[in-house]
Amino acid sequence: MTDDRLPLAELMAKTGDGDFLRTIAENVLQIIMEADVDGLVGAGRHERSGDRTTWRNGYRDRSLDTRLGTLNLKIPKLRTGAYFPGFLEPRKTVEKALVAVIQEAWIAGVSTRRVDELVQAMGMTGISKSSVSKLCKDIDERVHAFLKRPLAGDWPYLWLDATYLKVREGGRIVSVAAIIAVAVNTEGKREIVGLHIGPSEAEPFWSSFLKDLVRRGLTGVKLVISDAHEGLKAAITRVMGATWQRCRVHFMRNALAYVPKGQNTVVAAAIRQVFLQPDHAAATQVWRQVADQLRARWPKLGACMDDAEHDVLAYMTFPEQHRGKLHSTNPLERLNKEVKRRADVVGIFPNEDSIIRLVGAVLLEQNDEYQLQHSYMQIEGMAALATPMIEEAQPLQITPKAA
């Protein structure tokens, strides 16, 4: 086994006065790792043993920032299996992607002052293009494999939401939409199924994204939940043939814009009475009653409710067990906040590839967390989707009074 004692004189001979403590720390940690690996292998270096389970396979470099300075460590590698010391924090893919984007911006000379300060704080001076290229290649391969993976089975529910990021394009700073798609399959499991970057939210943009999802195997979509993005509704009908659910939260914000701020609480409470109803028929009836009551004082609000009735109440025609998660894009809110938190560090992205690299890494890690969680939706409700009892198959009738 590895000798866990190293004479002080030997350490002193290896280093100068200024690096003495740092070198001691490096050697102590190296001894700890070697001892750990001896235990995993079942034998020391060059030792013959019947208890051996694998062999050493070189080292990989890893730095550790401490109060003594940066320690340069060599983590032992195994021919089969893996070893990672407990005193080090594994670098997540998203952290690597963040570093890669910052490095790329640094090399291109387009980083903002905030990024410059962060780069200096991280001690990333003298970064070579070759090291950035190597890091980016590794991340890009993993992210693209995740974003382009085949999708199997049926996915009844699909959520779409857009987050806007700034990127340099042709010497200008422009805003682009990063569309994130999350879907739930018939087993009730939630997955992140797509990411798309584009300059606008017109129908061709949405159609291109949805067609790509279909090509990868996203089938059986019955309801798409999103905000009222321009061109999206037409794209859903044309590509997916699914029902569209307008985000209830976004609708409330739009509706209250027609009302003086002092009346917002009263109006919001009146509209929320609709969402307390047990089924679609009752909700429709209360919706029209509320719209007629509000129309007298705020005609534009009444017209807004007339136009939005079918889209805001679409979720009521689906299984009751699922409705609590179908009426809005709230399931995407936490994910979007994490994306924005990471993106804010960069500020202005040097190109669209760097957006996909960082945002894709965030989505990859979040999707891994989804797989460790329990079912997002009850499987019992999925069986009802296969029966013709769902009211969405019946055209909704609008009475002349509400027209």
Side-chain angles (χ1 to χ4, degrees):
M1 294 293 178
T2 302
D3 185 5
D4 58 358
R5 295 168 296 177
L6 196 61
L8 182 61
E10 185 178 340
L11 281 176
M12 295 180 66
K14 287 184 176 182
T15 181
D17 294 337
D19 296 332
F20 175 63
L21 292 178
R22 181 172 59 81
T23 303
I24 287 180
E26 286 180 350
N27 281 273
V28 168
L29 294 179
Q30 201 67 48
I31 289 172
I32 292 174
M33 290 189 290
E34 297 293 348
D36 287 345
V37 171
D38 285 352
L40 292 175
V41 172
R45 271 187 169 282
H46 312 299
E47 179 184 356
R48 296 180 180 275
S49 172
D51 298 329
R52 179 183 290 275
T53 58
T54 184
W55 287 264
R56 294 169 177 266
N57 191 29
Y59 296 87
R60 65 179 184 276
D61 295 329
R62 175 69 186 269
S63 60
L64 174 63
D65 292 331
T66 70
R67 294 182 180 180
L68 300 177
T70 300
L71 307 183
N72 298 314
L73 305 177
K74 291 185 177 296
I75 301 178
K77 296 165 60 178
L78 303 179
R79 190 171 299 177
T80 58
Y83 167 71
F84 192 84
F87 57 81
L88 288 178
E89 176 70 19
R91 288 176 179 167
K92 294 183 177 181
T93 302
V94 65
E95 299 295 346
K96 292 181 181 178
L98 178 57
V99 172
V101 172
I102 292 173
Q103 290 176 335
E104 192 172 3
W106 177 269
I107 290 173
V110 297
S111 55
T112 62
R113 184 175 64 180
R114 186 176 182 184
V115 175
D116 290 336
E117 293 172 352
L118 179 60
V119 169
Q120 293 173 14
M122 295 176 69
M124 294 193 298
T125 57
I127 303 169
S128 67
K129 291 186 177 181
S130 60
S131 63
V132 174
S133 177
K134 183 178 180 180
L135 179 60
C136 291
K137 181 180 179 181
D138 175 63
I139 297 168
D140 289 345
E141 288 177 353
R142 294 184 60 188
V143 168
H144 284 115
F146 166 66
L147 295 178
K148 300 299 181 183
R149 72 191 188 282
L151 303 172
D154 288 342
W155 304 79
Y157 303 126
L158 175 67
W159 288 262
L160 300 173
D161 203 9
T163 296
Y164 291 89
L165 305 172
K166 295 186 181 297
V167 63
R168 290 184 183 270
E169 185 178 279
R172 299 181 299 114
I173 298 175
V174 299
S175 179
V176 295
I179 306 298
I180 299 173
V182 173
V184 169
N185 59 23
T186 51
E187 296 179 354
K189 281 288 188 178
R190 174 174 52 166
E191 288 193 30
I192 298 169
V193 296
L195 170 67
H196 197 50
I197 309 296
S200 70
E201 294 186 46
E203 183 181 341
F205 172 75
W206 285 107
S207 295
S208 174
F209 180 41
L210 296 179
K211 287 178 181 177
D212 181 64
L213 293 178
V214 172
R215 280 195 297 269
R216 289 171 46 215
L218 190 75
T219 59
V221 177
K222 295 184 178 295
L223 184 68
V224 181
I225 306 99
S226 76
D227 189 11
H229 298 297
E230 181 182 354
L232 175 58
K233 190 173 183 179
I236 291 173
T237 302
R238 181 171 301 163
V239 179
M240 294 289 187
T243 302
W244 176 52
Q245 167 64 39
R246 182 175 178 178
C247 175
R248 200 172 78 185
V249 176
H250 287 89
F251 163 75
M252 288 290 285
R253 294 173 187 167
N254 298 147
L256 294 179
Y258 296 107
V259 180
K261 289 186 178 180
Q263 301 294 322
N264 277 7
T265 302
V266 175
V267 173
I271 297 177
R272 288 195 185 99
Q273 292 300 312
V274 176
F275 309 133
L276 299 178
Q277 305 309 308
D279 53 44
H280 182 266
T284 300
Q285 181 180 1
V286 176
W287 179 282
R288 294 171 183 172
Q289 291 174 353
V290 172
D292 289 341
Q293 291 172 0
L294 298 176
R295 194 189 320 275
R297 293 190 61 182
W298 301 289
K300 290 184 178 180
L301 174 58
C304 173
M305 291 188 65
D306 291 342
D307 294 338
E309 176 186 337
H310 297 281
D311 300 326
V312 177
L313 298 182
Y315 77 101
M316 295 289 288
T317 64
F318 285 80
E320 184 178 359
Q321 302 97 315
H322 300 163
R323 292 175 191 170
K325 297 176 180 177
L326 294 179
H327 58 70
S328 72
T329 57
N330 280 352
L332 276 174
E333 289 301 315
R334 181 180 177 277
L335 183 57
N336 282 336
K337 286 181 180 179
E338 181 63 14
V339 168
K340 292 295 288 185
R341 185 176 74 85
R342 299 288 185 172
D344 286 346
V345 173
V346 179
I348 301 172
F349 286 83
N351 49 51
E352 288 190 5
D353 287 342
S354 61
I355 294 179
I356 295 176
R357 182 176 304 123
L358 179 58
V359 177
V362 173
L363 301 183
L364 189 156
E365 291 194 345
Q366 183 59 61
N367 193 70
D368 288 343
E369 290 187 20
Y370 286 166
Q371 305 315 302
L372 299 177
Q373 298 172 358
H374 296 295
S375 295
Y376 184 67
M377 286 187 167
Q378 295 183 21
I379 301 180
E380 293 78 7
M382 294 296 176
L385 292 174
T387 65
M389 63 182 293
I390 300 298
E391 295 180 27
E392 81 176 302
Q394 303 174 2
L396 301 177
Q397 302 295 327
I398 303 179
T399 63
K401 185 177 181 179

